[in-house]
Amino acid sequence: MKFRKVSAAVAVVLTVGLAASACGKNDDDKGSGGSGGGKKITIGIKVDQPGLGQKLPSGEYAGFDVDVARYVAKALGYKTNQIVWKEAKSADRETMLERGDVDFIAASYSITDEREAKVDFAGPYLLAHQDVLVRADEKHINDPKDLNSKKLCSVTGSTSAQNIKKELAPKAQLQEYGGYSECLTGLENKAVDALTTDDSILAGYAAQKEFQGKFKLAGFKMTNENYGIGVKKGSDLKDKINDALKKMVEDKSWDKAVQDNFGPANYKNEPAPAIGDVKK
């Protein structure tokens, strides 16, 4: 009987020890707040925006936002294989940060007063503008007002085309499609005359191999879109990410990322913005 009692006690101790060990391992795998080691960091990105954030058929991720996120993660102490990528749809970004689903988000995330009430932003790291994409041989759209009576395409639910119709070209004929790829096909086939959204997004699409040389950016710069990296309200990651973004500009990695992702579209990007300089 004594032997059985001792054996049972040992079994309990071993079970508790193994459970504690397993819990410790899981904790090490969680996102961290910036310390690397054996931990993981979870980053929110877009997965369907060529040039910015796109999941490739190979399973790899590519784009300017992805390059910025990788650089920041490395500066925080993480290797590439310690990054967990997570799709961050526009409507879900604040909720993902508030719930702690991701450590930070780099997903064409414009800094606005409304968003800053819910989350904090590092950056900005890119100043984009609302623009229009037209066919390369287009000669009659040289000003936003020239969009009057033209077929203007945007994605269903987007405010970009509505902004133009309300403020600049009230007679523009809005054509809403399910995605930017459909708008591009319509533009190529002359079903529409122009496509509007952020110039960085337009450049990303125009830089794709199948579209190179077919389109051009009009260069209208109708709004300022300050892309920032979103973090949970009060997170100490904000200052660390800002330091990483400064270094990325200083060592020219930022310039390389712009050229790699937007170069084929002849995107006339703004210089890298200073940290905290949000253009209204």
Side-chain angles (χ1 to χ4, degrees):
M1 290 295 292
K2 288 183 179 180
F3 178 77
R4 288 177 182 173
K5 288 181 179 178
V6 170
S7 297
V10 170
V12 170
V13 170
L14 287 172
T15 301
V16 172
L18 288 170
S21 175
C23 289
K25 184 175 182 180
N26 287 338
D27 287 343
D28 284 345
D29 286 341
K30 290 181 181 178
S32 73
S35 61
K39 299 181 180 180
K40 302 282 187 181
I41 188 166
T42 304
I43 304 173
I45 56 168
K46 291 292 181 68
V47 299
D48 57 356
Q49 284 185 345
L52 285 165
Q54 183 182 26
K55 186 174 183 178
L56 304 175
S58 65
E60 295 295 314
Y61 295 88
F64 181 74
D65 285 347
V66 174
D67 287 346
V68 170
R70 281 200 185 102
Y71 188 99
V72 169
K74 183 177 180 181
L76 293 175
Y78 294 92
K79 297 178 181 178
T80 300
N81 61 5
Q82 292 175 304
I83 297 174
V84 177
W85 300 107
K86 197 162 190 175
E87 181 179 9
K89 295 181 179 179
S90 295
D92 299 335
R93 291 177 295 200
E94 286 82 37
T95 301
M96 291 175 72
L97 289 169
E98 290 168 349
R99 286 193 313 219
D101 295 341
V102 292
D103 292 292
F104 68 80
I105 290 178
S108 55
Y109 201 2
S110 296
I111 301 171
T112 66
D113 293 340
E114 182 181 3
R115 290 169 178 164
E116 284 191 299
K118 299 177 181 179
V119 302
D120 285 340
F121 284 97
Y125 63 91
L126 182 71
L127 176 59
H129 307 281
Q130 186 183 342
D131 199 356
V132 297
L133 192 72
V134 296
R135 289 181 288 277
D137 60 356
E138 175 61 62
K139 297 179 181 178
H140 303 293
I141 300 177
N142 302 302
D143 184 275
K145 293 180 181 179
D146 294 334
L147 294 168
N148 278 309
S149 301
K150 299 291 186 181
K151 293 179 181 178
L152 178 63
C153 189
S154 192
V155 172
T156 303
S158 170
T159 60
S160 298
Q162 296 289 349
N163 290 341
I164 290 179
K165 187 171 177 64
K166 182 179 178 181
E167 303 290 340
L168 301 168
K171 295 182 180 179
Q173 301 173 31
L174 299 189
Q175 306 284 322
E176 291 188 318
Y177 288 6
Y180 292 116
S181 295
E182 295 173 49
C183 279
L184 282 166
T185 300
L187 186 58
E188 185 177 13
N189 296 335
K190 299 186 178 181
V192 297
D193 301 302
L195 161 61
T196 186
T197 187
D198 294 358
D199 55 7
S200 57
I201 297 174
L202 296 173
Y205 276 101
Q208 300 304 291
K209 288 184 179 180
E210 64 268 34
F211 295 130
Q212 287 179 19
K214 294 181 179 181
F215 308 113
K216 64 182 179 181
L217 287 158
F220 292 160
K221 298 185 178 181
M222 293 176 281
T223 63
N224 290 328
E225 306 296 336
N226 303 271
Y227 289 1
I229 292 181
V231 298
K232 189 172 183 177
K233 200 74 174 172
S235 172
D236 63 356
L237 273 182
K238 177 179 176 179
D239 291 339
K240 296 176 182 178
I241 293 174
N242 278 334
D243 289 341
L245 292 175
K246 290 177 185 176
K247 184 178 179 183
M248 187 177 187
V249 173
E250 291 169 358
D251 68 15
K252 305 299 182 182
S253 295
W254 187 91
D255 294 307
K256 184 178 185 303
V258 169
Q259 183 59 37
D260 288 347
N261 293 290
F262 303 127
N266 295 315
Y267 177 43
K268 295 178 176 58
N269 63 283
E270 298 279 4
I275 298 301
D277 184 14
V278 178
K279 303 291 186 185
K280 300 297 185 179

